[in-house]
Structures are given as C-alpha cells and as structure tokens.
Amino acid sequence: ELEEQLLNGEQLRRALHNLIQELRGNIRVFVRTRPFLPNDGAATNSSIDIMPDGESLSILGKHAGEGHAFKFDKVFAPSAGQGVVFDEVSEFVQSALDGYNVCLFSYGQTGSGKTHTMQGSGNGAMRGIIPRAVEQILQQAALMQSQRWTFTMKASFLEIYNEELRDLLVMMNSDGSLKQRDTASANKLSIKRNQEGKSYVDGINKVDIDVEDKAAGLAQLEAVMVAAARARSVATTKMNAQSSRSHSVFMLHLCGSNEESGTIVEGALNLCDLAGSERLDRSGAGSDHKRLKETQAINKSLSSLGDVFTSLANGSKHIPFRNSKLTYLLQDCLSGDGKALMFVNLSPTIESSNESLCSLRFAQRVNAVELGKATKHVQYSKGGSGRR
C-alpha cells in the first residue's frame, strides 16, 4: 500500500512537472545512453551512472575521482527499449494532431545511437520514434473519425548536406509510387515564408499517407523510409561504419477538419536526426578532404544551433536563426510558436566521456530555454476564426 502511494505521488509530481514545463514552454530534454556494442572492443566499464529516479545521472570527468552530476526531464538507462522510449514522447507526438507545431530532435556525438532512436530498424520492437509516431497518429485519427473528424497527412523528408537542402524523396511521386530515374529531377529547395510568416520548404516532394487504411498508411511510410535511407549521405569513419554526414528532417504535415463544428486544425511534426558532433582526431575525417568539408559544415551548423539556444536562454532581442539552414528551417518550432523536445544520445565508453560531457552541458543550456506557451493552430469556419 505504501509502495502504491509512493508510485501515485511520483506520477502526480511528474504530471505537475510536465504542466509547469508546458506553461513555461521549456524545451524538454531526454537523455539516452546506448548499451555497449561489439565495436566498442573489450570495454565494459561505463563512464555514465544513471540514478534510480530516472531523471539524474553522473559522468566521469577527465581526472581520477572527478565526476559531474546532471538532472533532466527524463534519463533512460541502456536497457530501455524503443517502446519504453516512445511511451515517454507519445503525448508530445499527440500535440501535432491537436494543431501544434512540434519538433523533436536527436543530438549527440557520432556513433551514440541517434539514428537508432529516431528511425530504428525493421517492423518489430526495434522500430524508432518516426514509424511509431506515424502509427500513433494514424490510430488517433481513426478514433477521431467517430467524432466527425477527417484528416489528411503528408510526409516529406530532407537532408541538410554541406548547408544545402536535399529532397530525400526525389524518386517518389505524391502517391508513394517510384518515379522512373530519367524523370526524377531534383528541384532546388529553398526555405520561404508564407503570408502568415510561417516557414515552408519550397519545391519539396510531399507523399500522401493513407489515413483511412492504417495498414496502407504504414506501408507508405515504410516506402518513404526506405527511399530516404537510400538517398541519405552516409560514410564510414573511425567512429561509425554508417556515419550520417548530414542532418535529416522528417516532416509530417497534418490537417484535420470537423464538419459538425466547422473547426480546422493544422499541425506539423518535425523529427530531426542531427549529424553527430565529432572531433577530427577521433573520427579520422581530417585525412580526407571531402569528409573534412562535411565535418566542418556539420560542426558549424551545430555551433549555430548552440548560438540560437544561448540567445533564447539570455532573452536576446535578436536570435540568429538565419546563421544556418538547420536553425532557419526549425525557426517556427524554436521561437515560441511550437513545442520542442531534444533527445541527447550518449556513448557509454570511457573514451567518449569528454564528448558525452560536452553533449550534457549543451543539453543543460537547452533545458533552461523558455519559449513561452505554444500556439495552437485552429480556425473556426462557423462563428469567426482565430487561434488559441
């Protein structure tokens, strides 16, 4: 009975914490440490110690006996599976269906498990946040149909490679079928602003996801993921056999209308797999001119992201969103209009402890940013229109 009271008290405390974060508009930060992998060698001693409260961790410093403690919204142990991780972000994903602009991005050094967290693999327990998020939205949309709601859903997928936007679905038609190679001409993509001042990517392919038939919708999503994986820029480095050399952004555009109330909601889900921050001496990228240029572009855009968070945390009047394509693309989500959540991915090895410490310090800065209460995008075709 006492255990049950403690559990209820903990759930209430977390619910209140989430409410406070919601009102402040804080960027939530979740931390996930990956397990040891075969290419980590014989190493089994972790530099990271996760506390039982699920919110705190400590990490070894450079010198013997030195340690650093951190506290975030949620900290996952290496044993936490993909399903457990998604359960924690499912409420956040739901917000897109409610008419919010939602951004979830995965940050960390090369080889720390960012792409595994976001995309995962296969159709079972190893699926990542992107396929699980689409499945959840399809399920919710089906439930809401009984309340006279109808939804449309479109997916797009791009990468930012050397500060250039590339459409990862250039080989797909809007119905999900594949184009003939000779007809697949890549449009020059650019970030533009519409009349309401909201950003959009001009020239990008949008693939329809079937909302009526969940199985068909998930099959379309799988085709999108396969096409994007084939097109994405990856390379082998000393740190990672499949190192992402670009930032990728999966965008789900949602529009719902209720014929009974005349309500129209528009939401967006942006799921970003950021390229890994890396040191040239460890990744070996400095010995190859192409890899060096990629690494410099990655580190520069991640630095620009850091500058944006610093400016937001300091309450600066000018926020340097235009300093990189990544920050300009995510401006709406990071400027008080939307909700943002950052996943920090860590490698457990002692060799990586310095990079992990840098990631955690960056995450601490991000967690302090208050964006203000998010805007819900709702229009009313009966009795006026507006937002709330």
Side-chain angles (χ1 to χ4, degrees):
E1 194 180 315
L2 186 62
E3 274 184 20
E4 197 176 314
Q5 284 178 340
L6 282 169
L7 188 64
N8 290 341
E10 175 61 18
Q11 285 172 341
L12 178 63
R13 188 195 66 75
R14 289 211 64 194
L16 289 170
H17 170 77
N18 284 339
L19 180 63
I20 290 165
Q21 294 291 76
E22 186 93 4
L23 292 170
R24 280 184 184 160
N26 277 55
I27 297 178
R28 304 199 193 172
V29 175
F30 290 0
V31 177
R32 187 183 195 187
T33 305
R34 69 160 172 81
F36 281 95
L37 299 173
N39 26 349
D40 291 328
T44 53
N45 290 334
S46 178
S47 64
I48 299 158
D49 192 15
I50 292 160
M51 305 303 154
D53 66 358
E55 294 174 3
S56 312
L57 63 85
S58 63
I59 182 166
L60 297 176
K62 283 183 187 175
H63 311 292
E66 183 190 344
H68 303 271
F70 293 89
K71 191 175 174 75
F72 295 101
D73 296 293
K74 183 68 186 169
V75 174
F76 296 98
S79 57
Q82 299 279 68
V84 172
V85 169
F86 183 73
D87 284 347
E88 287 291 332
V89 301
S90 60
E91 191 184 321
F92 195 76
V93 167
Q94 172 68 32
S95 297
L97 207 56
D98 297 336
Y100 289 98
N101 208 340
V102 175
C103 179
L104 193 155
F105 50 101
S106 192
Y107 178 88
Q109 71 175 105
T110 297
S112 59
K114 296 180 300 299
T115 303
H116 176 69
T117 294
M118 294 306 287
Q119 298 182 23
S121 55
N123 295 317
M126 298 303 274
R127 288 176 309 146
I129 287 172
I130 293 175
R132 289 173 189 268
V134 175
E135 183 175 26
Q136 178 184 317
I137 287 171
L138 286 170
Q139 283 172 340
Q140 287 297 320
L143 287 172
M144 290 171 77
Q145 280 175 354
S146 63
Q147 297 160 13
R148 309 293 292 274
W149 280 94
T150 55
F151 283 91
T152 59
M153 193 187 298
K154 293 177 186 291
S156 48
F157 216 146
L158 63 79
E159 71 172 351
I160 303 171
Y161 175 79
N162 287 349
E163 278 301 285
E164 186 184 297
L165 299 178
R166 290 182 175 182
D167 191 345
L168 294 177
L169 304 182
V170 72
M171 292 299 298
M172 294 189 89
N173 293 306
S174 62
D175 63 358
S177 61
L178 291 177
K179 291 179 182 175
Q180 297 298 318
R181 238 173 223 288
D182 54 355
T183 63
S185 58
N187 288 334
K188 181 87 174 154
L189 303 183
S190 60
I191 302 165
K192 292 188 176 176
R193 305 226 148 241
N194 63 17
Q195 289 177 322
E196 286 86 44
K198 301 298 163 210
S199 66
Y200 68 97
V201 180
D202 188 41
I204 196 165
N205 263 4
K206 287 183 182 177
V207 176
D208 294 315
I209 303 289
D210 194 327
V211 181
E212 303 288 322
D213 182 343
K214 184 184 155 194
L218 289 174
Q220 286 162 334
L221 172 75
E222 193 171 344
V224 162
M225 300 294 284
V226 168
R230 280 196 189 125
R232 192 169 178 196
S233 304
V234 296
T236 300
T237 70
K238 287 181 184 175
M239 299 279 290
N240 191 355
Q242 280 282 298
S243 175
S244 304
R245 310 310 294 164
S246 65
H247 308 302
S248 77
V249 185
F250 172 82
M251 293 174 280
L252 200 62
H253 314 270
L254 302 161
C255 186
S257 59
N258 188 307
E259 58 181 87
E260 211 167 76
S261 64
T263 309
I264 297 166
V265 295
E266 285 187 32
L269 185 64
N270 301 279
L271 301 172
C272 313
D273 177 14
L274 301 182
S277 55
E278 59 184 48
R279 291 211 322 254
L280 290 171
D281 57 340
R282 286 198 70 203
S283 68
S287 58
D288 179 321
H289 179 70
K290 187 183 178 188
R291 299 286 92 84
L292 174 64
K293 189 183 173 190
E294 290 167 351
T295 301
Q296 286 169 337
I298 290 165
N299 289 346
K300 182 177 178 289
S301 66
L302 291 174
S303 176
S304 297
L305 186 64
D307 292 342
V308 162
F309 287 130
T310 300
S311 299
L312 287 167
N314 294 339
S316 304
K317 285 183 179 175
H318 170 70
I319 312 295
F321 287 115
R322 284 179 175 262
N323 284 6
S324 79
K325 291 277 177 30
L326 175 68
T327 50
Y328 193 36
L329 181 66
L330 300 181
Q331 181 173 345
D332 290 349
C333 299
L334 301 178
S335 57
D337 185 51
K339 299 182 179 187
L341 186 152
M342 182 167 99
F343 251 100
V344 180
N345 294 265
L346 304 175
S347 164
T349 66
I350 289 168
E351 292 78 21
S352 296
S353 61
N354 195 43
E355 284 98 330
S356 295
L357 187 56
C358 289
S359 293
L360 289 166
R361 283 178 173 153
F362 178 68
Q364 207 169 36
R365 276 160 56 202
V366 172
N367 214 185
V369 173
E370 293 184 10
L371 299 176
K373 201 169 189 310
T375 308
K376 190 172 182 177
H377 298 273
V378 185
Q379 292 181 339
Y380 304 97
S381 56
K382 291 178 183 176
S385 66
R387 285 183 181 173
R388 56 176 194 188

